[in-house]
Amino acid sequence: MAGNVVTIKFFSSLKLHNDWTMRFPAICHSYNLPICSTIQNMRLQTKLKELKRLKKRTGFAIAIFVGIINVFTINAQAKSLEETELICSNNEKPHIAFSFDDGSTQDRLTYKNSEWNSMIRKQLEDNHIQAVWFVAAKGMDNAKGKQLLEKWNEDGHLIANHTYSHFNYNDSLMTCKAYTKDILKCDSLISSFTNYKKIVRFPYLNSGNTISKRDSLLDFLQHNDYQQGWVTIDNCEWYINMRLMNRLKENPDADISGFRAYYVDHLFEMAQHYNKLSTQINQRQITHTLLLHFNLTSALFLNDLIEKFRKEGWMIDNYSEAINDPIYSGQPIAIPSEQSLIWMQAKQKGVFELDYDEENIKHQEDKMDKLGL
């Protein structure tokens, strides 16, 4: 009987308002018909538009009946996502592996190239972490570069392909033939190392701005037995490194503690963001891959970053184990094909907000300006 009273009041509340479709969520809340979370509201707005059209065609009563069904359907779907996140948070720790792109034989300010490169390797060694280097081979195709590759290989880290010339595949003038030739040219430099793996990461994370270009590149990978070196946690650490370098050029004795804290906080925030998004999409904890570069921030702050992840309960896996996660065998079909694997999955689903301030360079610029960094 009580349920009938609530239903009657619910219908009456809707009848009192010409704009009932706009007030639908608030009225549901008043009668303990919960509608919450971003995903629910996004899905609900689509349903409400359908209901408004349905009302005109079939009458008020049928539209309301369909509305109630949709409310509970949306709520059940959202509850499933919330339960998935709860299960992940209670029973599974998030996992992450480290990857480094590019490579350089250049000195960095007062740091000689052999020094700052060895600082990265030493921090990985001290923390018992195996990483992967996606080599942009043009800058390493010399005696110094080959020596750095050999040291990385000797330390047990993996070596993989980041093309020879670091071309942007989504450039309108770039062809698949020229791009794949550049991949093979990179392999001619790195494939002799014992820890070489046939994995390719595309520069700028771009793998095709048209269906034809994307599919041509994927066909090349398949026919030549390459695995794609996906990133799941994209970030702006390269921009933080640029700002740090500029500060130290101006004043070699500058206090860099603020940069250290900002770097760690930014990367961990991006990890949390993409882990939450991933658990919603994949309904489990995946083993993430963090994008880093061979740069001064990695040389100076890597220990701090590792400590932060471990302090917050993250497990840091060797890359050779992480790449076996089934997540890395998938291929989202969204176009253009760009950015991180999780971003691509979210774009394909079409129900997630993709504009995240922390990934925006202008946002980073404003934040760092305010902090005097």
Side-chain angles (χ1 to χ4, degrees):
M1 182 65 182
N4 291 336
V5 172
V6 169
T7 303
I8 292 168
K9 289 182 178 180
F10 177 76
F11 274 75
S12 299
S13 297
L14 289 175
K15 288 179 180 179
L16 291 174
H17 302 282
N18 293 326
D19 60 340
W20 66 275
T21 57
M22 296 303 295
R23 291 184 52 81
F24 199 69
I27 295 171
C28 285
H29 180 73
S30 299
Y31 293 99
N32 295 317
L33 298 173
I35 299 175
C36 58
S37 90
T38 303
I39 296 172
Q40 285 172 286
N41 285 325
M42 290 172 68
R43 291 177 178 171
L44 183 62
Q45 293 305 316
T46 300
K47 295 295 183 182
L48 290 180
K49 291 177 182 178
E50 295 173 1
L51 291 177
K52 197 168 185 179
R53 292 193 294 268
L54 185 61
K55 177 189 173 185
K56 293 178 180 179
R57 295 197 306 268
T58 63
F60 185 81
I62 296 176
I64 293 301
F65 175 75
V66 175
I68 293 172
I69 297 299
N70 281 321
V71 167
F72 284 104
T73 300
I74 294 165
N75 194 59
Q77 291 171 337
K79 184 178 180 182
S80 175
L81 287 175
E82 291 166 0
E83 287 174 349
T84 297
E85 291 185 41
L86 183 62
I87 290 170
C88 288
S89 62
N90 287 343
N91 299 332
E92 297 182 65
K93 291 184 176 181
H95 286 244
I96 193 169
F98 288 4
S99 65
F100 296 83
D101 280 10
D102 301 340
S104 175
T105 61
Q106 301 299 310
D107 296 339
R108 293 289 183 251
L109 304 175
T110 60
Y111 296 91
K112 298 297 183 183
N113 93 84
S114 58
E115 180 184 7
W116 69 264
N117 273 280
S118 66
M119 288 166 66
I120 295 173
R121 295 196 310 274
K122 181 67 163 56
Q123 291 172 89
L124 292 170
E125 179 185 3
D126 289 346
N127 287 283
H128 310 288
I129 295 171
Q130 179 210 57
V132 60
W133 177 357
F134 286 96
V135 182
K138 187 175 183 178
M140 310 307 296
D141 196 0
N142 52 63
K144 287 183 178 180
K146 292 173 183 176
Q147 185 178 38
L148 291 174
L149 283 162
E150 186 60 49
K151 289 182 180 296
W152 183 263
N153 187 70
E154 289 173 356
D155 283 356
H157 302 297
L158 304 188
I159 294 173
N161 195 312
H162 197 41
T163 75
Y164 188 87
S165 306
H166 208 272
F167 291 138
N168 183 353
Y169 187 57
N170 286 9
D171 189 303
S172 60
L173 298 179
M174 178 54 60
T175 66
C176 185
K177 182 177 180 180
Y179 193 80
T180 54
K181 182 178 179 181
D182 206 57
I183 291 174
L184 295 174
K185 187 175 182 180
C186 176
D187 260 6
S188 68
L189 179 72
I190 65 175
S191 60
S192 62
F193 290 99
T194 56
N195 288 324
Y196 162 78
K197 298 296 179 184
K198 216 165 186 183
I199 308 172
V200 180
R201 175 174 292 167
F202 307 121
Y204 312 105
L205 306 183
N206 288 340
S207 54
N209 54 344
T210 66
I211 294 175
S212 175
K213 285 184 72 171
R214 179 201 65 195
D215 290 350
S216 295
L217 184 56
L218 293 179
D219 285 345
F220 168 83
L221 296 187
Q222 183 177 359
H223 291 144
N224 290 276
D225 297 321
Y226 283 105
Q227 186 173 356
Q228 190 166 338
W230 285 105
V231 169
T232 64
I233 301 173
D234 197 4
N235 57 79
C236 301
E237 54 90 42
W238 62 270
Y239 180 75
I240 301 170
N241 179 75
M242 183 185 74
R243 299 272 297 224
L244 173 67
M245 293 278 290
N246 290 340
R247 176 61 56 84
L248 290 176
K249 284 177 184 177
E250 296 171 0
N251 178 12
D253 298 319
D255 179 10
I256 61 172
S257 59
F259 287 93
R260 185 188 308 272
Y262 192 92
Y263 171 86
V264 171
D265 290 346
H266 167 71
L267 286 171
F268 187 71
E269 181 175 342
M270 293 305 301
Q272 288 181 302
H273 167 70
Y274 276 114
N275 187 52
K276 182 177 180 180
L277 190 57
S278 175
T279 56
Q280 290 176 334
I281 296 170
N282 298 297
Q283 300 189 19
R284 68 179 181 90
Q285 282 285 3
I286 69 166
T287 301
H288 287 280
T289 298
L290 176 66
L291 172 61
L292 298 172
H293 290 85
F294 276 92
N295 56 26
L296 197 57
T297 48
S298 293
L300 295 175
F301 306 147
L302 187 57
N303 263 333
D304 302 277
L305 182 62
I306 293 169
E307 181 181 349
K308 174 67 172 178
F309 275 110
R310 286 178 170 162
K311 181 181 178 181
E312 297 293 339
W314 286 60
M315 305 296 293
I316 302 178
D317 293 351
N318 289 334
Y319 186 81
S320 58
E321 299 168 355
I323 195 63
N324 294 322
D325 190 308
I327 192 72
Y328 297 113
S329 299
Q331 178 60 51
I333 60 173
I335 288 291
S337 185
E338 59 188 4
Q339 301 201 43
S340 74
L341 174 57
I342 305 305
W343 189 93
M344 285 285 292
Q345 286 184 324
K347 184 175 182 179
Q348 182 172 315
K349 291 283 186 182
V351 295
F352 297 96
E353 177 59 53
L354 296 177
D355 293 329
Y356 186 54
D357 281 346
E358 198 64 20
E359 286 186 283
N360 185 284
I361 295 301
K362 184 63 171 66
H363 175 77
Q364 292 299 324
E365 181 182 3
D366 292 343
K367 278 181 68 175
M368 297 188 80
D369 284 347
K370 290 177 182 178
L371 291 171
L373 297 176

